[in-house]
Amino acid sequence: MATSSIHIGTSSAGALIHNERIFSPDYLISNNKNINEYKSYTNLHISELENLAKIDYQKHSINNRKLPKTATLIKEAVINLEAHHNLNDLEKVKDTLEKEYGYKITDISIHRDEGYIFTENKNYIMGRNQYKNLDETPHIAELDKDNKFYEWNLNNNKWVKGEEIKDYKIEKNYHAHVVMLNYDFSKHRTIRNNLKDLSKMPTLVAKNLGMA
């Protein structure tokens, strides 16, 4: 059994492009988008909700003051999963994040097309764009349109497609992206959770998912 973890960070409306696989990144281990799951919980796009939050804040603030530019209105939680988890399981997490912490969940995506491959002699990093240091070249692999993995190598700082990788195994990275609005329309401000409450979140999520 995998150990549960949840990490929350700042996000943007552009995160949905990645989460919905509108464009496929180069580090995927499957070309089949149907193995993923996605659900939206609002009729409005997150960018529209973000704009409504800014309007609401200014309307109810003293002297018609605008929301500070440093305020974070969109957050995203990344949650590791096991192979059997689905959107029904994530509904419990959604309820926890909304009821216990006040976030408004707008979108949830489950990704089953990420991970890495390895052979007896090599562990591969997936995707050329994920590798930033050109001074030390690790083993890079990418899945081609023919559903075969190929090794990529640097030659004079240019990527060259190599041989097909055979006799490999796949290590999958099951996880979910939970996009949420970090604004309380009833209090007309961004949500403020203290560290003590936030420290309980991993335990609550683990309980929701039946994980350690």
Side-chain angles (χ1 to χ4, degrees):
M1 177 182 292
T3 301
S4 173
S5 69
I6 177 171
H7 300 282
I8 294 181
T10 59
S11 189
S12 68
L16 297 183
I17 295 176
H18 167 81
N19 295 349
E20 296 178 42
R21 293 291 190 254
I22 295 175
F23 299 107
S24 296
D26 62 2
Y27 53 77
L28 302 184
I29 58 172
S30 173
N31 287 323
N32 181 11
K33 297 180 181 179
N34 293 327
I35 63 176
N36 298 324
E37 292 186 69
Y38 170 77
K39 185 175 182 179
S40 176
Y41 294 89
T42 175
N43 293 326
L44 297 177
H45 191 272
I46 186 67
S47 60
E48 296 177 275
L49 290 173
E50 182 182 31
N51 188 52
L52 289 175
K54 292 178 180 179
I55 293 173
D56 181 81
Y57 181 89
Q58 186 172 5
K59 179 181 177 181
H60 293 90
S61 65
I62 300 175
N63 298 325
N64 201 36
R65 186 178 59 173
K66 292 184 179 181
L67 187 73
K69 293 183 179 181
T70 55
T72 300
L73 286 176
I74 303 177
K75 288 193 172 186
E76 183 174 358
V78 179
I79 305 169
N80 73 308
L81 303 174
E82 294 178 337
H84 64 85
H85 286 124
N86 55 37
L87 281 175
N88 288 334
D89 299 309
L90 268 296
E91 293 283 347
K92 300 174 185 177
V93 176
K94 173 181 177 294
D95 290 342
T96 292
L97 293 176
E98 290 186 334
K99 294 177 181 179
E100 297 291 333
Y101 297 96
Y103 302 121
K104 169 61 179 175
I105 308 305
T106 64
D107 304 84
I108 296 179
S109 302
I110 295 178
H111 289 163
R112 301 186 179 95
D113 56 359
E114 295 183 40
Y116 66 92
I117 66 171
F118 61 97
T119 64
E120 185 176 346
N121 300 315
K122 296 179 180 179
N123 291 323
Y124 289 92
I125 293 177
M126 305 305 300
R128 285 166 285 165
N129 289 329
Q130 312 314 306
Y131 185 66
K132 307 302 181 183
N133 183 3
L134 299 183
D135 294 327
E136 297 179 3
T137 309
H139 304 300
I140 302 293
E142 284 185 20
L143 180 65
D144 214 24
K145 294 181 180 179
D146 60 2
N147 288 314
K148 296 178 181 178
F149 290 102
Y150 292 87
E151 185 166 1
W152 283 80
N153 303 289
L154 275 178
N155 186 0
N156 294 324
N157 283 336
K158 293 183 179 180
W159 289 106
V160 178
K161 187 176 181 179
E163 298 292 325
E164 178 187 352
I165 303 169
K166 299 182 179 180
D167 300 323
Y168 60 83
K169 294 183 179 180
I170 295 179
E171 182 67 28
K172 295 184 178 181
N173 174 19
Y174 301 105
H175 63 279
H177 293 264
V178 180
V179 179
M180 47 203 176
L181 185 70
N182 184 49
Y183 189 82
D184 188 332
F185 282 95
S186 65
K187 297 179 180 179
H188 314 295
R189 61 173 174 81
T190 54
I191 295 168
R192 303 165 188 171
N193 287 302
N194 60 50
L195 292 177
K196 182 178 180 180
D197 290 335
L198 290 173
S199 66
K200 299 177 183 177
M201 186 183 293
T203 301
L204 293 175
V205 170
K207 184 178 180 179
N208 292 154
L209 296 173
M211 298 172 69

